[in-house]
Amino acid sequence: MTQQLNIEVRLKDNGYIIHIEPGILNRLGTIVSALGLRGSATIITDEQVGALYGRRIGSSLANTNVEMLAMPAGEQHKTLETVRQMYDGLLRLNRGRDSFIMAVGGGVVGDLAGFVAATYLRGIPFVQIPTTLLAQVDSSIGGKVGVDLPQGKNLVGAFYQPKVVCIDPTVLATLDKRHLSNGLVEVIKHGVIWHEQFFRYLEENVELLLSLDHETLVETIGRSCRIKGDVVEQDEKESGIRVILNFGHTIGHALETCTEYHEWLHGEAVAVGMLAETRIAQKLGLTTDDTFRRQEQLFQKVGLPTRLPPMDMERFQKTVLHDKKNLQMKIRLVLPVRIGQVQVVDDVPLSLVSETVRELTSQ
Ligand SMILES: NC(=O)c1ccc[n+]([C@@H]2O[C@H](COP(=O)([O-])OP(=O)(O)OC[C@H]3O[C@@H](n4cnc5c(N)ncnc54)[C@H](O)[C@@H]3O)[C@@H](O)[C@H]2O)c1
């Protein structure tokens, strides 16, 4: 029975530990001081998460000079303007190079606070306290930090690793069900790209997972972090194998763009993207129908969409072709060979992608 897990991410210069433990929010003070972070702490969070957990985190850091800066919640605030407001706040609080930042929130807060930490006074240490499932299994690991520009998402950023990641699965109790399912997509994706046994574990434990059973959560988050950690360790700056984390994302991103980011959460778009890309793999003779069915059944159990909405196909095709993972206008896709193994295919015909998307569009 797994009560708590510590996962090590071993990088060339900046390795760190991911602690997964119910109730860890209450002992953050001990953890950061053991790391030598003894200066002033600044919690960067959003208003929703700050209202729920700010006070508790503040008291766990009782021996530290701690202040909180809260941004409004939501992707539309992951901007340079919010970054500037955070710099203003840090200067107002007289934060120097001996201070550190605690990013407390979902992926929006983690990306933005990490970027602030990477750039304020040419970089001060930061700690990730992810509070959505997506942030716990994905965005808080790997060191990608940044913000959006009006021209597109995540266009400004850096690779900047946290000193430690502290994951408290009990905070998921206040997260709405839709955001929980959103995070589960990345968990399921980790099983498909890396580990059949983990995928089977998810098939067998999905009900316990959805009921937020602590042991199942610790085990699931831990295994998922280990997989992302393994991939990041092999390719810290995304120049090689890390591309496999993009499984489902090429079609998923195009879908998000074509629906103007209104209807679908990122994970929901990636779920149907994974199914579409699996069907393409099947048509190319790379995998069997079983690979498609197992993912579809798991998504259905979690309450995720399994079909695409009707879209302007011309726009969809243009968007897919401009996806930054395409080389020389050819469609490059990460495709499953079986559950647990993927392969990068550089030359997928656009007609095959469009045909498959049409077939998987709900009527
Ligand atoms: N850096 C990376 O490698 C990486 C990877 C994937 C995604 N991302 C980024 O992550 C972002 C999406 O993150 P997200 O899905 O966590 O969304 P989010 O940060 O917007 O959080 C979703 C909502 O949940 C609320 N919330 C957070 N934790 C809560 C809790 N415990 N209880 C109640 N409410 C809570 C937030 O206030 C927000 O309203 C995107 O900006 C995306 O670009 C980054």
Side-chain angles (χ1 to χ4, degrees):
M1 290 295 167
T2 317
Q3 295 296 348
Q4 59 104 30
L5 283 173
N6 296 323
I7 311 257
E8 191 183 351
V9 182
R10 293 167 292 257
L11 301 174
K12 217 160 32 140
D13 302 317
N14 305 303
Y16 53 93
I17 305 281
I18 305 167
H19 297 285
I20 306 156
E21 180 184 323
I24 200 171
L25 284 196
N26 301 326
R27 56 180 208 93
L28 293 176
T30 324
I31 291 171
V32 296
S33 74
L35 285 168
L37 298 172
R38 297 204 176 85
S40 309
T42 311
I43 296 171
I44 295 185
T45 186
D46 69 33
E47 286 158 1
Q48 191 165 324
V49 176
L52 287 164
Y53 299 107
R55 187 188 291 231
R56 193 162 139 208
I57 292 175
S59 28
S60 82
L61 296 162
N63 298 327
T64 315
N65 171 17
V66 54
E67 299 282 350
M68 186 164 90
L69 300 173
M71 60 182 277
E75 182 75 31
Q76 68 275 29
H77 299 288
K78 200 176 107 176
T79 60
L80 287 172
E81 177 52 24
T82 310
V83 169
R84 203 189 53 74
Q85 288 166 9
M86 293 297 156
Y87 294 150
D88 285 348
L90 291 164
L91 289 168
R92 197 174 57 244
L93 294 168
N94 265 323
R95 292 311 199 225
R97 291 192 52 80
D98 60 339
S99 71
F100 66 98
I101 286 173
M102 303 188 81
V104 181
V108 165
V109 165
D111 281 11
L112 183 133
F115 183 71
V116 171
T119 48
Y120 180 70
L121 302 179
R122 295 197 181 82
I124 60 173
F126 91 114
V127 171
Q128 286 270 23
I129 323 284
T131 63
T132 61
L133 184 59
L134 179 126
Q136 295 182 343
V137 298
D138 189 5
S139 61
S140 67
I141 310 152
K144 282 209 255 174
V145 296
V147 293
D148 304 333
L149 292 180
Q151 292 90 333
K153 280 185 68 173
N154 299 320
L155 291 181
V156 178
F159 283 98
Y160 194 65
Q161 304 293 344
K163 293 293 172 205
V164 68
V165 181
C166 297
I167 298 178
D168 190 337
T170 67
V171 302
L172 299 178
T174 53
L175 189 68
D176 63 77
K177 167 99 180 44
R178 195 171 170 204
H179 275 101
L180 188 74
S181 304
N182 186 52
L184 276 173
V185 176
E186 299 296 341
V187 173
I188 295 168
K189 182 196 77 182
H190 288 155
V192 180
I193 63 170
W194 205 249
H195 216 285
E196 199 273 338
Q197 205 194 349
F198 178 47
F199 190 90
R200 206 168 338 121
Y201 173 85
L202 295 172
E203 290 175 314
E204 286 163 5
N205 291 283
V206 63
E207 279 84 15
L208 278 172
L209 199 51
L210 291 171
S211 71
L212 300 182
D213 172 70
H214 286 180
E215 282 172 13
T216 314
L217 278 175
V218 170
E219 186 68 23
T220 301
I221 295 168
R223 288 204 199 190
S224 205
C225 288
R226 183 63 274 161
I227 292 169
K228 176 136 189 202
D230 282 349
V231 176
V232 169
E233 278 171 9
Q234 290 182 38
D235 180 18
E236 191 177 342
K237 298 278 166 71
E238 205 171 66
S239 51
I241 192 176
R242 196 162 167 171
V243 73
I244 68 170
L245 294 168
N246 288 325
F247 171 52
H249 284 62
T250 302
I251 291 181
H253 275 156
L255 167 58
E256 285 184 282
T257 309
C258 293
T259 54
E260 312 280 349
Y261 295 92
H262 290 324
E263 283 165 58
W264 295 59
L265 292 177
H266 175 70
E268 294 167 341
V270 171
V272 286
M274 284 166 63
L275 288 177
E277 291 176 16
T278 303
R279 191 65 100 201
I280 290 165
Q282 223 181 311
K283 291 183 177 196
L284 289 171
L286 292 173
T287 197
T288 61
D289 192 46
D290 188 54
T291 312
F292 183 93
R293 291 278 155 236
R294 286 177 74 188
Q295 291 176 76
E296 184 181 49
Q297 278 166 11
L298 199 44
F299 289 150
Q300 281 166 347
K301 282 189 187 161
V302 170
L304 283 157
T306 55
R307 292 294 178 268
L308 293 107
M311 276 183 298
D312 173 349
M313 282 311 287
E314 209 174 308
R315 181 163 180 210
F316 175 82
Q317 290 184 347
K318 276 195 195 134
T319 315
V320 168
L321 281 173
H322 285 99
D323 186 287
K324 60 180 182 290
K325 292 178 285 298
N326 296 323
L327 299 174
Q328 295 150 6
M329 303 292 281
K330 289 173 183 164
I331 303 180
R332 182 181 205 208
L333 290 177
V334 178
L335 299 177
V337 177
R338 62 178 72 85
I339 297 288
Q341 191 189 342
V342 286
Q343 172 183 326
V344 179
V345 180
D346 272 317
D347 214 348
V348 181
L350 178 63
S351 55
L352 181 62
V353 175
S354 308
E355 172 196 301
T356 309
V357 162
R358 271 197 207 96
E359 284 166 13
L360 289 179
T361 296
S362 52
Q363 299 308 316

